[in-house]
Amino acid sequence: MGGGNAIYELYILGELMGGNLHGYLLHTILNQVVGPLRKISWGVLYPLIRRLEDEGLIEQVLDEQTHKGRGKKRKPYRITQTGKHQFYLLMEEPIAYTADYDLHFQIKLSNFCNVKDDVKLIILHQYKDHLCFIRRHIEDNRAQIVHFNQIPDVEKPHILNVLDLRSKQVEVNERWIEEKIQEVKKALSVDNH
């Protein structure tokens, strides 16, 4: 299964943790979460829903409203116990360092209402480690750009500007993640007393 499917699987299971939803609503909410520049197609979503159903992670809910009225029948889904177990595994599983990392983290973050504080801390620390990895990469690139003679001198300041921008973005995210870690630690210490 590709990284993108893992993100969407987590999204679907997480949404169903809050109650039953039909495919159309799952599609609408997901496109709001991942948009405006990225959209998930029906051709990706419905095969994934069918796979999750085949694996026993979700199931169709048959109710009177499913069969009432005209037009296309909406099929609501609910998460199974097996699906809940899979959701918790996906929440704790480290995210691969890919271009989709931030989206995957945001999907996890949107599901914090469904996990305990100790799991939140794991996820936040994983994101902090990711930011540290990105910061080291930027610093290494900066050093290489300065000393790499094959890059024309006229280009170097512009490349360094890009690295400065990325560095500032990482700094903002590092401050934010540290605040969130402290908030969760505080909540944990209150719960433990």
Side-chain angles (χ1 to χ4, degrees):
M1 171 170 41
N5 276 347
I7 295 170
Y8 300 140
E9 178 178 335
L10 177 61
Y11 161 76
I12 291 169
L13 295 176
E15 285 298 312
L16 294 177
M17 290 287 286
N20 302 347
L21 294 172
H22 52 78
Y24 179 80
L25 192 52
L26 285 168
H27 183 262
T28 301
I29 296 169
L30 180 58
N31 278 325
Q32 290 173 348
V33 170
V34 302
L37 301 178
R38 178 191 292 214
K39 297 291 179 193
I40 184 170
S41 71
W42 292 107
V44 170
L45 184 63
Y46 273 114
L48 178 57
I49 288 173
R50 278 193 296 280
R51 181 179 63 76
L52 295 177
E53 202 174 3
D54 290 345
E55 292 175 4
L57 302 177
I58 65 174
E59 61 190 8
Q60 236 180 69
V61 179
L62 298 176
D63 60 17
E64 291 179 22
Q65 289 189 345
T66 305
H67 301 290
K68 278 186 180 176
R70 293 190 200 194
K72 192 166 183 169
K73 308 291 186 249
R74 293 202 171 134
K75 303 171 190 171
Y77 295 92
R78 71 174 155 224
I79 193 166
T80 64
Q81 283 305 115
T82 305
K84 288 179 182 179
H85 179 73
Q86 177 69 2
F87 168 80
Y88 292 123
L89 288 176
L90 289 172
M91 285 295 285
E92 289 188 44
E93 184 176 89
I95 303 169
Y97 287 5
T98 67
D100 286 333
Y101 189 97
D102 283 330
L103 174 60
H104 201 150
F105 172 71
Q106 291 164 16
I107 297 291
K108 285 187 176 196
L109 189 62
S110 72
N111 280 292
F112 268 25
C113 60
N114 296 314
V115 294
K116 295 180 180 177
D117 287 340
D118 58 334
V119 175
K120 292 175 190 174
L121 269 183
I122 290 168
I123 294 166
L124 293 171
H125 278 288
Q126 289 169 351
Y127 186 64
K128 184 177 178 180
D129 291 345
H130 172 72
L131 292 173
C132 185
F133 166 79
I134 297 295
R135 185 171 22 83
R136 281 194 312 268
H137 178 72
I138 292 168
E139 290 167 2
D140 290 347
N141 279 351
R142 187 186 328 266
Q144 289 176 7
I145 297 298
V146 169
H147 300 325
F148 194 56
N149 293 331
Q150 292 178 329
I151 295 176
D153 286 340
V154 70
E155 269 188 61
K156 285 184 181 184
H158 303 292
I159 295 170
L160 291 172
N161 275 339
V162 170
L163 294 176
D164 285 342
L165 172 63
R166 292 168 75 197
S167 180
K168 296 291 184 205
Q169 291 168 334
V170 169
E171 286 174 23
V172 168
N173 289 343
E174 285 176 325
R175 282 194 301 275
W176 181 87
I177 200 69
E178 197 53 49
E179 288 174 13
K180 293 300 168 199
I181 288 171
Q182 294 311 315
E183 286 175 19
V184 174
K185 282 182 176 179
K186 188 175 180 179
L188 264 173
S189 69
V190 168
D191 290 344
N192 290 333
H193 286 16

